[in-house]
Amino acid sequence: MRVLVIGAGALGGYYGACLVRAGADVTFLVRSARAEQLRRDGLRVKSPHGDFAVQPKILLANELNDPFDVVLVGVKAYSLDDAMSQFAPAVGANTMIVPILNGLKHIDALTARFGAEHVLGGLANVSAGLDADGRVVQFMANQTIVFGEVKGSLSDRVLALENLLRVPGIDVRASDVIMQDMWEKFVQLSTLAGITCLMRASIGDILTVPNGERAIFRLFAEHCAVATASGFEPRAPFIEFDRKLFTTANSPLKASMLRDIERGSTTEAEHILGDMANRARALDIETPVLDLARAHVAAYEVGRQKPAN
């Protein structure tokens, strides 16, 4: 399979680099500044599993004119519209689009643009970012990617993609209930982003303050209520996993959204917190902690866009 990775940031850069290292036919669609950096330095990964670097194949948007078998989309949600216009020439009759963005809204956007037959569901569980030198830094050992047909079933194309992605550095799983998986990730991510951004602190630090743990699980319960009312009640193993995740003493865990705030960057707040809150309103579910977290990050965005004094 010919794979086109959209961007070479934290997600696309990590999974794409692992595929290149394993000998897969991978090309990265990047902007000119990132292309220059990659040609000069290669695509470098710093990982708890061992650092490595690859020399990637690169295309700019104006150079893309052939279809690919797989388009792996790992851009930030606010970049999706531009990305869809750029990679549209890569979508042929049999192309699979595999989005590993956070949240759920992007599934509708991709389906509207390219058709449901091209769009898989997907999610990534990897904690990573780009450092000042353009290296992909994997902060924690997790490195899972899960995908499947939006309507369920383990199709031949999904199983073929699972085989392609089964390489060192990627824990891969094809799922016949991908929307359930995505909803559970949505609940987890919304809780992590909402509470760490609201408190401007890691999970470990929040647990040390009065009512910190209570605040985490009030927010978690709000999100679980929205998922359940939407037809995707979180399963018992997920609940147990997240209870451990959110009660680990001294945990350095914080959402990438908080790291964006700490850098003064744009966030995915409306794609994540805003979308969850809007779904809650449509279902007539009260979410006071979520609403406060959403307002907090929205206020940050307003301030970020004001000119410096």
Side-chain angles (χ1 to χ4, degrees):
M1 292 183 181
R2 297 179 66 229
V3 180
L4 182 67
V5 177
I6 309 306
L11 292 182
Y14 178 76
Y15 290 113
C18 289
L19 286 170
V20 172
R21 180 176 60 175
D25 185 354
V26 178
T27 302
F28 293 83
L29 183 66
V30 296
R31 299 183 187 277
S32 56
R34 183 62 165 153
E36 180 180 347
Q37 186 178 54
L38 292 173
R39 290 189 183 108
R40 182 183 66 242
D41 303 326
L43 178 52
R44 297 169 292 167
V45 177
K46 291 181 63 64
S47 168
H49 303 286
D51 301 348
F52 67 96
V54 298
Q55 195 61 48
K57 292 193 291 185
I58 297 166
L59 283 176
L60 302 179
N62 62 2
E63 299 171 331
L64 182 61
N65 48 37
D66 294 320
F68 281 72
D69 300 302
V70 179
V71 176
L72 182 65
V73 186
V75 299
K76 291 286 191 178
Y78 48 75
S79 299
L80 181 61
D81 286 345
D82 285 345
M84 287 192 295
S85 296
Q86 291 171 2
F87 72 71
V91 181
N94 299 309
T95 301
M96 288 182 282
I97 301 173
V98 186
I100 51 174
L101 287 73
N102 292 324
L104 295 173
K105 285 179 67 177
H106 58 276
I107 295 293
D108 291 337
L110 288 164
T111 298
R113 179 67 182 267
F114 300 107
E117 69 276 13
H118 289 293
V119 181
L120 301 183
L123 62 90
N125 281 315
V126 60
S127 179
L130 290 186
D131 68 10
D133 295 321
R135 297 176 296 185
V136 176
V137 180
Q138 186 182 7
F139 301 116
M140 301 175 70
N142 55 311
Q143 53 197 19
T144 303
I145 186 168
V146 184
F147 53 86
E149 300 287 356
V150 170
K151 293 184 179 180
S153 83
L154 292 175
S155 64
D156 289 343
R157 66 177 185 171
V158 162
L159 293 175
L161 182 58
E162 181 184 41
N163 188 59
L164 173 74
L165 291 171
R166 190 176 287 113
V167 300
I170 302 178
D171 298 326
V172 60
R173 177 169 65 86
S175 171
D176 59 356
V177 287
I178 190 60
M179 294 309 297
Q180 177 74 39
D181 296 322
M182 290 180 67
W183 260 102
E184 289 174 351
K185 172 71 183 299
F186 190 27
V187 166
Q188 180 188 88
L189 177 64
S190 297
T191 301
L192 179 62
I195 202 65
T196 61
C197 289
L198 182 61
M199 304 292 283
R200 299 287 180 96
S202 68
I203 290 296
D205 288 344
I206 294 168
L207 289 171
T208 67
V209 304
N211 294 313
E213 181 176 329
R214 183 184 179 197
I216 294 171
F217 284 102
R218 285 186 65 179
L219 182 57
F220 183 66
E222 291 175 5
H223 296 159
C224 286
V226 177
T228 298
S230 300
F232 297 94
E233 181 178 1
R235 294 165 292 188
F238 166 79
I239 298 290
E240 180 62 24
F241 179 88
D242 272 24
R243 287 199 176 278
K244 291 179 179 177
L245 182 72
F246 293 135
T247 55
T248 300
N250 302 313
S251 171
L253 184 62
K254 60 175 68 172
S256 60
M257 192 181 298
L258 177 55
R259 290 196 293 271
D260 290 336
I261 290 174
E262 292 170 342
R263 289 194 302 269
S265 301
T266 305
T267 71
E268 294 182 299
E270 280 307 294
H271 184 74
I272 305 299
L273 303 179
D275 186 40
M276 181 68 84
N278 291 339
R279 292 172 189 268
R281 295 295 81 76
L283 294 163
D284 200 26
I285 296 172
E286 293 297 319
T287 54
V289 183
L290 169 61
D291 294 345
L292 183 60
R294 179 191 190 183
H296 180 87
V297 184
Y300 156 79
E301 292 285 4
V302 171
R304 189 186 65 81
Q305 295 173 32
K306 290 182 177 178
N309 294 328

